[in-house]
Amino acid sequence: MQRLLQLIYLMLPVYAANMAPPFVRYWPGRVRPISERWLGSHKTWLGYAFAVVAATAVTLLQWRLDWSGGIADYAQWARFGPACGLGAMLGDSAKSLLKRRLGIPPGQRWVPADQLDFVLGGLLALAFWVELRWLDVVLVLALSFAATLLVNQIAYAIGVKNVPW
């Protein structure tokens, strides 16, 4: 149970990065997509920025909390956070690019890629700071899959997401 809590704590910046971009819809004015053709209209520069800021804020908070059970060096929060945010967004973008190449429209479900894309990108970024065992990776993927489904249902219910998955 302790290891599961450590893994959840480790992944918090990645989760925050993934949850931040949908809030761009409340930004006043036009928000430019990165590439509608390659990624779809909903992948924006501002969404990327929100993701990196959210992940960095979480790692700063983790460093300030100084939890003795943490498995990363949060003193490096200024590099660790942006890496987590960028990793999560690159994983999400890679999945979106693949969806476009396969002819899957933006917003159409693609399980389990839609639930794990940002997690895989985040885990790749985390590999520079933390050595995880294969069981750790499997636990993170399983927990993240289930949690993403739940969080997306909540986001849909409160109107942050347009689709209930």
Side-chain angles (χ1 to χ4, degrees), residues 85-128:
L86 193 58
M89 291 300 93
L90 289 174
D92 184 64
S93 294
K95 182 259 324 195
S96 292
L97 178 64
L98 189 56
K99 278 177 81 171
R100 298 302 86 71
R101 296 305 93 203
L102 294 174
I104 301 169
Q108 183 174 326
R109 294 179 187 185
W110 194 27
V111 178
D114 288 328
Q115 291 74 30
L116 297 178
D117 52 356
F118 74 96
V119 176
L120 291 171
L123 285 169
L124 285 173
L126 286 167
F128 291 99

Side-chain angles (χ1 to χ4, degrees), residues 1-161:
M1 186 60 150
Q2 172 75 8
R3 187 62 176 182
L4 186 58
L5 290 175
Q6 290 173 319
L7 293 170
I8 292 168
Y9 191 77
L10 175 70
M11 292 299 293
L12 286 177
V14 175
Y15 297 148
N18 186 60
M19 290 189 286
F23 291 97
V24 166
R25 72 180 352 189
Y26 302 111
W27 191 265
R30 186 179 185 293
V31 178
R32 289 190 41 204
I34 296 168
S35 172
E36 273 189 76
R37 177 178 179 211
W38 297 103
L39 300 177
S41 62
H42 58 290
K43 302 292 183 220
T44 67
W45 293 109
L46 188 59
Y48 258 63
F50 272 30
V52 170
V53 167
T56 303
V58 170
T59 57
L60 172 62
L61 181 61
Q62 288 172 316
W63 173 64
R64 297 293 297 158
L65 289 173
D66 195 27
W67 179 44
S68 62
I71 56 177
D73 179 8
Y74 293 101
Q76 296 186 43
W77 67 269
R79 289 185 295 176
F80 185 66
C84 287
L86 193 58
M89 291 300 93
L90 289 174
D92 184 64
S93 294
K95 182 259 324 195
S96 292
L97 178 64
L98 189 56
K99 278 177 81 171
R100 298 302 86 71
R101 296 305 93 203
L102 294 174
I104 301 169
Q108 183 174 326
R109 294 179 187 185
W110 194 27
V111 178
D114 288 328
Q115 291 74 30
L116 297 178
D117 52 356
F118 74 96
V119 176
L120 291 171
L123 285 169
L124 285 173
L126 286 167
F128 291 99
W129 280 274
V130 179
E131 188 174 324
L132 297 174
R133 300 179 297 241
W134 281 107
L135 181 57
D136 294 335
V137 173
V138 169
L139 281 171
V140 166
L141 291 173
L143 176 70
S144 298
F145 181 79
T148 300
L149 294 175
L150 176 64
V151 169
N152 281 333
Q153 288 294 325
I154 294 167
Y156 174 73
I158 64 173
V160 174
K161 291 200 115 188

